Amino acid sequence: MVSSAGLTSGDSSEDGGELRDLVIGISPFTRPDARLVAALVRSGALGVLDLGHDEAAARRALADLGELVSAPFGVRVSPGCPLGPGDMPELARTVVVVGRQGGGEAVGESVGGWSPGGRRVLAEVRSVTDVRPALAAGASGLLVRGNESGGLVGEETAFVLLQRIVAELGAKTGEVPLFVAGGIGPHSAAAAIAGGASGVVLDSQLALVRESSLPDPLKAALRAMDGSETAVVGSHRVYVRPGTLAASLPVPASCEEVASLLGADDLATGLLAAGQDAALAAPLAARWPTASALVRGMRRQIAAHLGAASRRPGLLGPGSRLAASHGIRYPIAQGPMTRVSDRAAFARAVGEGGGLPFLALALMDGAEARALLLETKDAMGGMPFGAGILGFVPREVRAAQMEALLDARPPVALVAGGRPSQARPLEEAGIATYLHVPSPGLLDMFLGEGARRFVFEGRECGGHVGPRSSFALWDAQVERILALGLAAEVSVLFAGGIHDARSAAMVGALSATLVEARAAVGVLMGTSYLFTEEAVRTGAVLPGYQEVALSCEDTVLLETSPGHATRCAGTPYVDAFGDARERMEAAGTDQSEMWAALELLNLGRLRIASKGLARVARDGDRLVEVSPEEQLEQGMFMLGQVAALRRSTTTVAQLHHEVSAGSEDYLASLSPVAERIASGLSRSTATPRGGQRPAHTGQAYAAGGASGSASDGIAVVGIACVFPGAPDSAAYWANVLGARDSVGEVPPERFDVERYYDPGSFVSGAGRKTPSKWGGFLPGVGFDALGYGIPPRSLSSIEPV
């Protein structure tokens, strides 16, 4: 079940030592930031200094960190790091080793170089194939880095990769601490712990706290992010915008070339290893301005989510709010799959299993769509069902499908790639209509236009995918709904990588506070149904399709145009697609024409995969059956990343029971974990350790110096101050936490050093000059004289006090 390794490790001399590894902070963007890491260490977290690739900067940061802290910290070493084990100080007791490219063996070799020496070695793994070589080489734990992270990444997202590694470790999961990086925010952090992680990792998310030394131009870029500004270039996820060096790199770029350009201050000449979760830096810093406040806030969020999930029966169980709203047994929807969800018998099987089936109208004409809708309505015998349409299909196709929907009136509809204006006619006709929402910006817009039913589908899904991973997308969307106070009005279906009790429980943990705020929550699955016996028995897919799903180890993305990609299995069709795209590019085909042609090609090859039918132009443009060999050779098999997690068939009833009741049992088992975290938080805030400030000080500061919460047990009504180097309380606390020295030479506007300073005046005893030119000097304090009824000219005659 859930590992507790990360909940008990740490130096007991540290504040909250028993929680030290629950939230690990790494200096972001391969930059060695000693001040930030020192603040993390003082918060009682494991602060990790990324040593980067500049030897002088790395040595300087290690020296600075040694002066700032007396507690253990960690270092992160990437391929090409100029320092070795012999360069590490005594306090660097944890080493995060990033294995070089080349598969599991390369990772194992990298780890092996650091294993001797008595330090704890965490191997940073990007694929399930990295796990066993890393452990065999001496790693005592694994840092699981998902595709959405910044820097060197693999193909799978944190949500799926964590599940795969837990499955790979099996019974040994509790013996190997797992720390998850990628898309981690206030809500997804709890999901990672629920999924089997010992702790979560923050890096990009820390970039805007007050102790961060990131240059202002880079901070400005991060503040404007929404999570869509990154791309994987040369196996590294980096920040990419017009005018940056990243936008002009050749495709494909080499891994080594990209790595050599990381860590620069200027985006025109270097690369920023930013993940999708870098978009969380601004809202996190606004909520928790310092590293200490952020760590404590994240710990509290994990405890609150796990506590709410474990004590709230029915989160995803039978009869939940969402299930009741649609008249179904479970809050589970079968997502519309093109060329698969087009059989009335399959829809009935899903309905009989207690779920909500969706037909996929795809590019059907009006007559075909109407016939399928009416056939399904009759087959369902009064059970609810839905229909999915694509908001981006040609207008005439969409208009014909809308007319068919309004005639057949299924109880529910789903619009993928659409807008509230497309859903409004359906809602007005009494059809509950969900909208795919792939970004926080669109969510704000859709909510403003009155939409209240949403699908949040991560990039892990099969078929057409959005830009963000499940963790990154889900966390941002939940935060927006809660911040706007609209939870009680919304219905949400989470999708992307959900297939069993563990994955559903992770959704339950992530959405627990949303459910407590009265939102209706459920899950939407697609690929999972391809493993059911009913999918083959009802003709939704041929046996060959299911066999491909059962043997699938990895998936690939086929890009039909910038921003439009389809996830499928890595079968021979992938090469055929690439050849077709290259031919059109060489011929100078218009981008929109290329998109349409490639989408039609995908649809035709999908029909071959799912139904074994190919369209031939001769003899009247008819459909002909293909052999199983041709099906495998020519077909496109749409599959999500979840396919790599399943190796046996199931039934719809078993699938639904596992995802619903199974996740309920799983969540209930998390109660001891939630209690241990909550207990550790109580101990860490009750008594200051090691002469540090009381823990509640940071919490009060985290609230902005103006308010607290019932869980904090303290409220700060107000605080104001002016200190040397700090015009206000926020800057003062940042200086304290960052150990900033605010004593300096006297400013020239205070007095003339040449006239009044004499280092020998102590000896002379004349008393006419000062023996020091150092001090703590207050900054200029703005004063609105007229606002207090004082003529500005009179100020020179008024005592400053």
Side-chain angles (χ1 to χ4, degrees), residues 679-753:
S679 176
L681 288 171
S682 298
R683 290 194 297 274
S684 69
T685 58
T687 307
R689 297 172 183 264
Q692 298 188 40
R693 61 182 175 79
H696 60 69
T697 310
Q699 292 148 18
Y701 176 68
S707 64
S709 70
S711 62
D712 289 339
I714 187 170
V716 177
V717 176
I719 183 171
C721 60
V722 178
F723 282 101
D728 53 35
S729 59
Y732 172 69
W733 273 121
N735 290 345
V736 171
L737 296 171
R740 179 180 175 183
D741 185 357
S742 296
V743 173
E745 291 194 33
V746 62
E749 65 269 17
R750 295 301 175 93
F751 66 74
D752 184 352
V753 172

Side-chain angles (χ1 to χ4, degrees), residues 107-501:
V107 172
E109 290 173 3
S110 300
V111 170
W114 286 86
S115 293
R119 297 185 177 92
R120 178 175 67 157
V121 176
L122 302 179
E124 192 165 298
V125 295
R126 305 177 293 273
S127 164
V128 69
T129 59
D130 296 340
V131 171
R132 295 195 180 278
L135 295 176
S140 57
L142 304 175
L143 194 153
V144 180
R145 186 165 292 280
N147 171 267
E148 64 270 67
S149 291
L152 190 59
V153 295
E155 294 296 325
E156 291 179 317
T157 67
F159 182 47
V160 170
L161 184 56
L162 173 61
Q163 294 181 63
R164 289 200 71 179
I165 290 176
V166 167
E168 175 75 6
L169 293 174
K172 294 184 178 180
T173 301
E175 303 172 13
V176 181
L178 304 176
F179 305 98
V180 178
I184 299 299
H187 310 285
S188 56
I193 302 300
S198 301
V200 295
V201 180
L202 305 179
D203 39 39
S204 297
Q205 302 93 319
L206 295 164
L208 296 179
V209 296
R210 288 214 172 93
E211 300 89 347
S212 170
S213 67
L214 198 68
D216 288 340
L218 298 185
K219 287 183 176 180
L222 292 181
R223 289 190 183 99
M225 283 187 69
D226 72 354
S228 63
E229 301 87 350
T230 70
V232 177
V233 181
S235 299
H236 291 74
R237 184 172 291 279
V238 297
Y239 178 88
V240 180
R241 297 296 288 166
T244 65
L245 175 66
S248 62
L249 285 177
V251 179
S254 73
C255 179
E256 293 75 16
E257 177 186 8
V258 172
S260 68
L261 295 169
L262 296 175
D265 292 347
D266 187 351
L267 293 177
T269 58
L271 303 178
L272 192 69
Q276 293 179 359
D277 42 30
L280 298 175
L284 285 175
R287 184 175 184 179
W288 297 304
T290 68
S292 176
L294 198 159
V295 167
R296 295 176 189 278
M298 290 290 288
R299 287 171 176 170
R300 278 182 160 69
Q301 286 289 308
I302 292 171
H305 280 71
L306 294 182
S310 62
R311 68 174 176 265
R312 189 177 184 86
L315 195 69
L316 292 174
S320 73
R321 188 178 179 200
L322 187 135
S325 71
H326 294 304
I328 53 180
R329 190 182 317 148
Y330 302 116
I332 299 173
Q334 166 257 306
M337 295 173 280
T338 302
R339 303 289 195 214
V340 173
S341 308
D342 57 1
R343 291 292 186 269
F346 180 55
R348 180 175 178 85
V350 173
E352 288 176 338
L356 178 64
F358 276 94
L359 302 171
L361 301 189
L363 292 178
M364 293 181 184
D365 60 31
E368 188 179 3
R370 182 177 284 101
L372 176 60
L373 287 164
L374 294 176
E375 179 190 1
T376 303
K377 187 174 185 177
D378 183 61
M380 294 300 290
M383 290 185 293
F385 74 103
I389 63 173
L390 302 173
F392 51 82
V393 297
R395 182 176 299 178
E396 61 275 11
V397 174
R398 186 171 65 250
Q401 292 178 353
M402 289 288 286
E403 184 178 343
L405 281 168
L406 292 171
D407 286 348
R409 292 182 184 266
V412 193
L414 188 158
V415 183
R419 305 181 68 82
S421 59
Q422 296 169 337
R424 196 167 295 120
L426 300 173
E427 287 278 359
E428 291 172 351
I431 302 172
T433 305
Y434 287 83
L435 287 162
H436 273 253
V437 192
S439 74
L442 279 180
L443 179 61
D444 287 347
M445 183 189 303
F446 287 10
L447 286 166
E449 294 182 33
R452 293 295 185 269
R453 306 180 204 273
F454 307 113
V455 175
F456 300 152
E457 185 174 70
R459 194 172 177 81
E460 296 88 334
C461 69
H464 293 97
V465 301
R468 294 165 182 79
S469 73
S470 288
F471 272 179
L473 176 65
W474 295 348
D475 195 279
Q477 305 295 60
V478 169
E479 185 66 17
R480 292 304 301 142
I481 292 172
L482 290 173
L484 293 170
L486 295 173
E489 301 178 24
V490 305
S491 297
V492 175
L493 292 170
F494 292 91
I498 304 163
H499 71 106
D500 65 357

Side-chain angles (χ1 to χ4, degrees), residues 19 128 143 167 208 268 301 333 347 373 464 483 502 513 516 562 583 600 623 630 644 657 767:
L19 299 175
V128 69
L143 194 153
L208 296 179
Q301 286 289 308
L373 287 164
H464 293 97
R502 182 186 297 271
T513 54
E516 283 202 325
R583 285 196 300 271
L600 283 173
L623 295 174
E630 291 173 312
H657 183 270

Side-chain angles (χ1 to χ4, degrees), residues 30-97:
T30 67
R31 301 170 61 91
D33 190 337
R35 185 182 175 203
L36 173 58
V37 174
L40 290 165
V41 172
R42 288 195 184 90
S43 75
L46 173 61
V48 178
L49 186 73
D50 193 318
L51 296 178
H53 300 95
D54 184 307
E55 181 175 357
R59 291 188 182 279
R60 185 166 57 250
L62 279 173
D64 290 344
L65 188 54
E67 293 181 359
L68 291 171
V69 299
S70 58
F73 58 86
V75 295
R76 180 175 184 258
V77 291
S78 303
C81 176
L83 303 186
D87 299 305
M88 296 301 107
E90 168 63 24
L91 288 177
R93 297 179 191 169
T94 298
V95 181
V96 177
V97 179

Side-chain angles (χ1 to χ4, degrees), residues 527 530-531 544-552 639 643-644 646-647:
T527 300
L530 298 173
F531 294 86
Y545 201 124
Q546 193 171 77
E547 290 167 6
V548 169
L550 287 166
S551 62
C552 180
L639 292 171
R646 300 194 72 93
R647 287 293 174 265

